[in-house]
Amino acid sequence: MLIKQIIWFTNNLQQQKYFYRDVLDFELVFSSEERIDFNVGNSILTFQYKESFNASHMAFNIPSNKINEALEWLQKKVEILTCENKLIANFESWNAEAVYFYDADKNIIEFIARKDLNVNTEDSFSSKSILSISEIAIATNNIESIYNAITKMKPIPIYSGDMSRFCALGNEEGLFIVINKSRKKWYPTQDEAYTSDFIIKGDYNFYFKDGEIKKISINT
């Protein structure tokens, strides 16, 4: 599942611009008073101004062999969020390891190295090592309704979980992380999960707004 672009919302546009450009060294490719765009591997991360928004979760795929270097690189820039008292989360069933941190809006950001992707490099880790946006979270009270709305656009496999508490939809390249916000909090911080609007473009194109999926054209 290819994620070409995620549009998130913020009322702290300048702080997010500083964080992603100056702290994480993402490539800023567009900037206005209402919007900023970053190239991140094969994806575009966009922040658009909106007075009211909720923090959420997003993950970026990194090379399969670079989780330790990514941790060292991040430790010079941000505070790492611990996972059961460890700096690197080990997801054995996903054959992956991940590191978490907050951005300027307290979105929980994740760098994840998926061994099954088998993308390895000998280059030193930097922001240019990031492959793509690989996960976007959807907090809801009804996982099944979200799954049905997405599959109505185009069939999507269940990668992990079920319809009761947590369900990951897609594959190692791209996943919707759908959680029942009444039964699960954000990992690894246990922050309360609130429904957060976003727009996605790629293999799936829709606006998740006010807890509902609204189909859009790719030119929207």
Side-chain angles (χ1 to χ4, degrees), residues 4 29 111 130 155 173 197 219:
K4 290 185 178 178
V29 293
F111 283 6
I130 299 171
E173 187 179 54
D197 297 349
N219 295 319

Side-chain angles (χ1 to χ4, degrees), residues 38-90:
F38 298 93
N39 273 343
V40 195
N42 293 321
S43 304
I44 296 172
L45 172 61
T46 296
F47 287 94
Q48 190 167 303
Y49 181 84
K50 188 178 181 183
E51 183 60 33
S52 178
F53 72 98
N54 291 318
S56 189
H57 163 67
M58 181 185 296
F60 297 89
N61 274 341
I62 66 169
S64 307
N65 62 333
K66 288 295 176 177
I67 194 65
N68 291 306
E69 279 191 41
L71 172 61
E72 293 175 6
W73 184 82
L74 284 168
Q75 283 178 309
K76 300 172 185 176
K77 299 171 176 292
V78 297
E79 181 179 350
I80 305 301
L81 301 174
T82 58
C83 312
E84 300 172 359
N85 297 317
K86 297 180 180 179
L87 296 178
I88 295 176
N90 182 16

Side-chain angles (χ1 to χ4, degrees), residues 132-151:
S132 64
I133 297 172
S134 69
E135 295 178 8
I136 183 66
I138 299 177
T140 179
N141 287 317
N142 191 327
I143 293 175
E144 188 170 2
S145 69
I146 296 297
Y147 171 73
N148 290 337
I150 293 174
T151 55

